[in-house]
Amino acid sequence: MFAYIMRRLLMLIPVLIGMTLITFSIVHLIPGNPAQVILGETATAEAIEDLEETMGINEPYPIQYGIYVTDLLQGDLGTSLRSKSEISSEIWPYIAATFELTFFAIIFAVFIGVNAGIISAWKQNSWFDFLAMFFALVGVSMPVFWLALMEQWVFAQELGWLPAYGRENSRDPIAPITYFYVLDSLIHLDFSRVITSLRHLVLPSIALGTIPMAIIARMTRSSMLEVMNSDYIRTVRAKGSGQFMIIYKHALKNATIPVVTVIGLQTGVLLGGAILTETIFSWPGIGRYVYEAISYRDYPVIQSGILVIAVIFVFINLIVDILYKLIDPRINY
Amino acid sequence: MKLKYSFLFALMLAFILVLAACSGDGGADSASSEEEDGVEEEGDAEESDDDADSEADTEADGDQVLLFARGGDSESLDPSSTTDGESSRVTVQVLESLLQFEEDSFELQPGLAHDWDVSGDGLNYTFYLEEGVTFHDGTDFNADAVKTNFERWSDPEHEYGFADDNYVYSMYGTMFGGFKGDDGHVIDEINVVNDHEIEFVLSQPLGFFLQNMGMSYFGITSPAAFEEFGPEINENPVGTGPFEFVSWSKDDSIVLEKNEDYRIDGLPHLDQVVFEVVPDNAARLIALRSGEIDIMDGLNPDDAAGIESEEGLELFTRAENNIGYLGFNVEKEPLDNPDLRHAINYAIDKQAIADALYAGYANTAKNPLPPSYMGYNDDVEAYEYDLDKAEELLAEAGYEDGLEIELWTMPVARPYMPDPETTAEIVQNNLADIGIDVTIVREEWAPYLDKTMDGEHEMYMLGWSGTNGDPDYFLSSLLHGDNIGSSNREFYENPEVDDLLDEAKRSVDQDERAAFYQEAQALISEDSPMVTLVHSTPVLATSSNVLNYVPHPSTSEPLTEVELTN
């Protein structure tokens, strides 16, 4: 197992190098002069030239790339052109915000998705099965922004049950420690704030988690159906085990592998693709961070932001692969 | 067995419902009040009360916390290092300038200077500073502090200029003719007469020098804070303003709290102000309706009509302080032909654009200058929508068989141009009526600015917003020959106009200046380097609980007098 993990880690090196090369190239192929954008519509030609010089964007690309990678190796993600602060020091709250949201979205997606899938498989062709699969189909095809706006309209504006935006009650902010607000409030043993942060999580988690939930439900159902029809389940059944034992002890384990893949992939997708949800719910996550940077041509932030998302994605895939091996030791690469 | 699964779902549902129920009675109140319009105001007020009770035990009763939601975050809280309106909206609460603008106009009134003298030749300005004022860090505000701030902006080598950290005080350069050592730089010397008297000596008169002194971009920071925070001053503003800076979570919120020692007794009324970023317009409006926020900026013009009739909400408009226009590249064929430019001017239905895209929150423009400005020339005759005249002029210009023109359209919405794409299409249709075939060119925002500056366009769209209430900022920036290659994207140069603008800039007699500007506008209208489309009035909304809120045309208003009723 250890050797396997080591091998997988080594394989990451060329992947990571490739990623720096790609993020660097993409960012530098975007047309437009960041100096002009920083100085605004009123800028004079000289001011622009001066700023270009201090920013070092007049150097040839290979030199710029060299500087970029050298800095990266020293843990220096660069300095944001917009805020003028070190990206490494300002990026964590964004990552934490996205992690927190993704975590709850995935919990929602897995909990509802897996259970709905199991019941659908178990009660194949029942009204529940039809209904669940109908909703799964709707869920996959529903645009996230539309769902988000509907949620806000119904639950925030009309019913007033849940907050429409943000991570906390700004009239009474949470003192951040880890920047995972639920965790931070727990550390402070402040349960009213725990409730507040959980309430802020409900609508965006559902918006973000609906598509993966639907995918997971369909995947679990088909995977369960396959397993339930296999010989060994018939044997277990013959031995007189209860239905619950059959499903959760014997069948689920084997049905899990494709489901874990889907969960892993979806987690990666959510981490990188939460921009819409983050924008609509004013969730200051990494997607928003990169989006704002793009509209500002904040090269260093775009580069580092994309790179961070990519690295997270790669590591999630690594974890998924390791999980396969734990679930089913026969798997080998 | 079946029960077990139902149980799991029930659990999940219950969890969500419990969280929802945690909003307390307030949620129910606001929901029911939605139905009974008459009591909505009461319901909203109660809800924010309940929120405070259930979620904010630390808040004493009667605490005044105002939530101001806007579309984007500040770039920097060192106001002079940016030209971004979202930044000055916050810094104007924390830092004060020597002079201030009236609450709803660009009329000057005392700020940190209670009085000022101008010498007859317009070269010496003496400011008499308020005494007994302290910065939020407890250090004294005095003439030395003012001098330090101005020198920091004007001198790129200054120890607090932080040039190595990419700080550029471009607004200073624009307003005072460049930086130390530049030819046009007007501030020659700054002399500290005594602790509370400071003199600015100019190398040449500058007609809008005092107006500049009122700009929030030139708010005075505590020199001790430069020492303490260094280049991080942009995240730690320390001024003398009504509110002190507390914290900034990027892309989320900026928290300010009351300055208990504010120089004006009894002010401010609010205990805390929170500026929140809510990027989505629709979400912002929902948050306002559900009582989560008190003021929302950046309302869609289309939503405005609804707000007006809604109980519990108030609609506000900012005074016209911008111009949305269609610029010609007058250097390039075929638009170097004035007859053609006139023809295009007559062919565009400005009123239709104002009605269709600004929901009526815009007036058609005949000058590049908004009407409220000093020196606005109301005698200039507008190019009324008149197809016959347009066709006639087109024939005179020698294009009776029509021609093809490129129109560059902005990729981003701006207050002066909320829907550039559709604007371009309307113009395209208008011009098709007289036989001009318009090709719409689309380009990303940054290259758009670059390329129009370089003159690659034939016709393009852009706009301009005022910052100091002076006509020079509009007329010289957009149409002075010296600004070709930067903000003059028309490549328009008329020596007569340039002279008038220069004279006006150098004069300190405001009536004389007004006359120069009027004359310049007449000439500009004749030359017609641009189609002035509209002056828009941006709309915003507040909850009815907010009292004494007056939006300023500059988009940055101090919230000193604002109160909340509960």
Side-chain angles (χ1 to χ4, degrees):
Chain A
M1 190 70 191
F2 179 75
Y4 169 70
I5 294 175
M6 283 315 287
R7 206 159 25 151
R8 283 298 318 260
L9 282 175
L10 277 178
M11 271 162 62
L12 285 185
I13 293 171
V15 175
L16 292 176
I17 292 175
M19 275 176 356
T20 59
L21 205 60
I22 291 169
T23 50
F24 179 85
S25 315
I26 290 174
V27 166
H28 284 79
L29 288 175
I30 302 174
N33 181 345
Q36 162 84 65
V37 180
I38 290 170
L39 295 175
E41 290 147 45
T42 62
T44 62
E46 292 121 65
I48 292 173
E49 231 164 80
D50 286 351
L51 186 59
E52 281 173 348
E53 193 129 326
T54 49
M55 285 165 54
I57 52 180
N58 287 335
E59 303 283 347
Y61 288 163
I63 292 181
Q64 287 189 50
Y65 177 70
I67 296 170
Y68 169 59
V69 171
T70 323
D71 287 347
L72 268 186
L73 289 176
Q74 295 162 353
D76 179 0
L77 291 172
T79 307
S80 161
L81 300 179
R82 184 163 76 131
S83 69
K84 302 179 175 74
S85 25
E86 298 274 318
I87 295 168
S88 50
S89 71
E90 71 173 17
I91 202 170
W92 176 251
Y94 293 99
I95 297 178
T98 298
F99 271 177
E100 193 177 43
L101 175 58
T102 312
F103 177 76
F104 280 91
I106 282 292
I107 293 284
F108 164 78
V110 169
F111 188 86
I112 305 277
V114 167
N115 283 300
I118 290 172
I119 302 174
S120 291
W122 175 26
K123 300 277 173 193
Q124 198 187 353
N125 299 330
S126 68
W127 63 267
F128 181 92
D129 183 21
F130 285 120
L131 204 64
M133 287 308 114
F134 171 74
F135 277 116
L137 191 67
V138 174
V140 180
S141 13
M142 191 147 43
V144 175
F145 72 89
W146 185 82
L147 176 62
L149 285 173
M150 285 301 117
E151 281 180 353
Q152 283 179 331
W153 176 51
V154 174
F155 295 102
Q157 181 175 314
E158 294 303 318
L159 298 171
W161 288 357
L162 291 161
Y165 78 99
R167 298 183 67 190
E168 59 176 344
N169 174 8
S170 296
R171 289 186 165 92
D172 178 33
I174 292 164
I177 302 167
T178 61
Y179 287 93
F180 293 96
Y181 282 6
V182 177
L183 193 64
D184 286 350
S185 323
L186 280 173
I187 297 173
H188 288 300
L189 291 177
D190 184 341
F191 295 103
S192 77
R193 284 202 179 95
V194 174
I195 300 284
T196 307
S197 20
L198 285 174
R199 290 185 59 224
H200 281 87
L201 275 159
V202 176
L203 297 183
S205 305
I206 293 177
L208 189 59
T210 294
I211 291 178
M213 176 197 75
I215 296 174
I216 290 168
R218 290 159 65 96
M219 189 49 118
T220 310
R221 179 178 179 273
S222 63
S223 178
M224 276 302 276
L225 279 177
E226 202 176 306
V227 173
M228 294 289 274
N229 291 329
S230 63
D231 292 344
Y232 82 97
I233 292 292
R234 217 167 300 139
T235 315
V236 174
R237 232 186 268 265
K239 278 165 62 188
S241 284
Q243 192 70 275
F244 189 76
M245 280 295 271
I246 295 174
I247 290 171
Y248 280 91
K249 183 149 183 272
H250 299 285
L252 191 56
K253 199 169 172 190
N254 281 317
T256 309
I257 290 174
V259 177
V260 169
T261 315
V262 172
I263 294 173
L265 283 174
Q266 288 299 317
T267 311
V269 170
L270 289 192
L271 275 171
I275 298 177
L276 262 180
T277 317
E278 287 176 359
T279 305
I280 294 176
F281 288 100
S282 313
W283 199 268
I286 188 85
R288 273 269 303 290
Y289 186 50
V290 175
Y291 175 79
E292 297 288 334
I294 289 173
S295 43
Y296 198 77
R297 293 290 186 281
D298 194 343
Y299 284 177
V301 171
I302 305 174
Q303 270 166 1
S304 307
I306 295 177
L307 193 65
V308 166
I309 293 172
V311 167
I312 294 171
F313 194 91
V314 167
F315 274 92
I316 286 176
N317 272 324
L318 176 71
I319 292 168
V320 169
D321 285 352
I322 294 171
L323 277 180
Y324 287 161
K325 193 131 169 102
L326 287 175
I327 295 167
D328 186 352
R330 289 169 307 176
I331 290 176
N332 231 328
Y333 293 90
Chain B
M1 224 31 79
K2 199 170 177 183
L3 269 177
K4 216 154 205 147
Y5 296 108
S6 317
F7 176 71
L8 287 175
F9 277 108
L11 197 76
M12 189 87 180
L13 267 177
F15 179 66
I16 292 174
L17 283 177
V18 165
L19 286 177
C22 285
S23 64
D25 303 329
D29 272 354
S30 85
S32 60
S33 64
E34 285 287 339
E35 290 147 27
E36 303 159 43
D37 273 353
V39 293
E40 188 177 29
E41 202 169 321
E42 199 186 341
D44 273 2
E46 246 171 76
E47 191 199 24
S48 44
D49 242 352
D50 281 336
D51 267 357
D53 286 348
S54 62
E55 295 180 0
D57 294 330
T58 48
E59 272 182 48
D61 271 342
D63 259 10
Q64 300 246 323
V65 181
L66 180 99
L67 255 67
F68 190 121
R70 57 211 181 122
D73 203 2
S74 299
E75 275 169 16
S76 159
L77 298 183
D78 177 18
S80 40
S81 71
T82 166
T83 56
D84 156 60
E86 294 302 345
S87 298
S88 53
R89 193 199 291 280
V90 177
T91 56
V92 74
Q93 319 297 337
V94 180
L95 310 168
E96 292 179 294
S97 313
L98 290 187
L99 304 182
Q100 270 175 13
F101 297 127
E102 291 276 348
E103 59 180 11
D104 61 350
S105 76
F106 285 105
E107 288 291 313
L108 286 172
Q109 60 175 24
L112 281 174
H114 58 78
D115 225 334
W116 56 93
D117 284 332
V118 188
S119 67
D121 57 5
L123 290 176
N124 287 55
Y125 286 79
T126 309
F127 293 92
Y128 304 96
L129 309 179
E130 287 280 351
E131 295 186 30
V133 177
T134 52
F135 288 107
H136 300 150
D137 60 7
T139 57
D140 284 331
F141 163 76
N142 53 31
D144 281 320
V146 176
K147 185 176 158 89
T148 306
N149 275 272
F150 273 88
E151 287 185 342
R152 144 176 207 258
W153 299 320
S154 64
D155 180 4
E157 313 271 292
H158 195 275
E159 60 170 322
Y160 301 137
F162 312 125
D164 293 342
D165 296 276
N166 289 342
Y167 278 65
V168 184
Y169 306 106
S170 61
M171 194 54 97
Y172 180 92
T174 311
M175 304 318 300
F176 295 104
F179 299 93
K180 193 178 171 184
D182 291 353
D183 282 345
H185 185 223
V186 295
I187 300 182
D188 222 13
E189 272 176 47
I190 302 174
N191 301 317
V192 173
V193 181
N194 61 45
D195 254 9
H196 300 104
E197 207 177 314
I198 189 163
E199 181 195 38
F200 288 76
V201 182
L202 309 193
S203 55
Q204 61 198 56
L206 185 66
F208 47 90
F209 185 79
L210 284 174
Q211 289 301 125
N212 289 355
M213 288 303 185
M215 292 171 73
S216 55
Y217 295 98
F218 304 123
I220 305 297
T221 302
S222 156
F226 294 131
E227 191 67 47
E228 186 182 348
F229 297 110
E232 275 157 35
I233 192 69
N234 67 347
E235 293 177 11
N236 297 283
V238 181
T240 59
F243 296 96
E244 295 181 24
F245 172 76
V246 178
S247 66
W248 184 5
S249 320
K250 295 282 174 68
D251 284 330
D252 186 12
S253 61
I254 294 178
V255 180
L256 310 177
E257 69 182 18
K258 181 180 192 163
N259 173 6
E260 299 287 353
D261 300 322
Y262 188 52
R263 61 186 173 87
I264 302 172
D265 277 343
L267 293 176
H269 296 301
L270 297 169
D271 294 300
Q272 217 178 52
V273 178
V274 183
F275 287 93
E276 284 209 288
V277 185
V278 183
D280 189 71
N281 279 2
R284 209 155 55 238
L285 186 54
I286 286 172
L288 182 72
R289 284 188 172 132
S290 60
E292 285 176 80
I293 58 170
D294 303 306
I295 301 181
M296 75 164 283
D297 187 46
L299 188 66
N300 284 337
D302 290 334
D303 289 329
I307 302 278
E308 252 179 335
S309 57
E310 213 166 311
E311 287 280 340
L313 300 184
E314 302 284 334
L315 181 76
F316 286 91
T317 54
R318 292 188 193 279
E320 293 175 339
N321 183 32
N322 58 36
I323 175 77
Y325 63 81
L326 207 71
F328 301 120
N329 184 343
V330 300
E331 257 191 354
K332 239 188 197 174
E333 264 190 81
L335 291 164
D336 55 350
N337 182 335
D339 282 334
L340 175 60
R341 300 203 294 265
H342 292 152
I344 293 176
N345 243 313
Y346 280 116
I348 291 173
D349 190 351
K350 300 173 186 179
Q351 191 60 50
I353 294 175
D355 291 342
L357 304 177
Y358 298 77
Y361 291 94
N363 291 316
T364 58
K366 57 182 184 182
N367 286 311
L369 197 62
S372 62
Y373 272 65
M374 167 190 89
Y376 179 80
N377 189 342
D378 208 15
D379 297 333
V380 165
E381 214 168 302
Y383 290 94
E384 299 293 351
Y385 178 55
D386 185 342
L387 286 181
D388 295 336
K389 208 155 182 182
E391 274 172 345
E392 200 178 297
L393 282 163
L394 197 65
E396 259 172 55
Y399 294 103
E400 50 276 276
D401 301 328
L403 76 160
E404 285 177 18
I405 287 183
E406 276 186 359
L407 169 62
W408 289 44
T409 174
M410 292 162 54
V412 296
R414 281 286 188 269
Y416 49 73
M417 194 82 73
D419 187 352
E421 182 73 26
T422 314
T423 311
E425 282 164 13
I426 295 178
V427 170
Q428 188 179 37
N429 284 333
N430 282 165
L431 295 187
D433 291 342
I434 58 166
I436 298 178
D437 185 12
V438 173
T439 314
I440 296 176
V441 180
R442 293 169 184 84
E443 184 63 90
E444 290 283 324
W445 186 223
Y448 183 85
L449 292 176
D450 276 353
K451 290 180 179 177
T452 49
M453 208 160 87
D454 293 341
E456 287 186 28
H457 58 287
E458 290 180 334
M459 236 161 47
Y460 80 111
M461 292 152 61
L462 206 62
W464 200 253
S465 301
T467 53
N468 64 346
D470 194 86
D472 181 79
Y473 192 70
F474 278 85
L475 297 175
S476 289
S477 306
L478 296 175
L479 296 159
H480 194 293
D482 285 353
N483 289 321
I484 287 177
S486 61
S487 50
N488 178 348
R489 292 167 159 92
E490 281 66 45
F491 292 79
Y492 170 70
E493 188 164 19
N494 179 338
E496 236 177 305
V497 171
D498 285 0
D499 280 347
L500 285 166
L501 294 178
D502 288 339
E503 292 275 355
K505 190 173 173 177
R506 280 196 294 267
S507 167
V508 279
D509 178 338
Q510 301 299 327
D511 293 336
E512 192 181 77
R513 297 186 67 213
F516 286 133
Y517 287 126
Q518 284 178 347
E519 212 176 315
Q521 285 162 78
L523 292 173
I524 290 167
S525 173
E526 224 168 89
D527 290 337
S528 179
M530 52 167 63
V531 182
T532 52
L533 295 174
V534 294
H535 306 293
S536 78
T537 50
V539 277
L540 65 161
T542 75
S543 127
S544 307
N545 300 340
V546 179
L547 300 183
N548 306 334
Y549 175 69
V550 184
H552 193 267
S554 69
T555 75
S556 308
E557 54 273 330
L559 301 169
T560 322
E561 311 227 355
V562 172
E563 267 182 273
L564 292 171
T565 57
N566 272 319

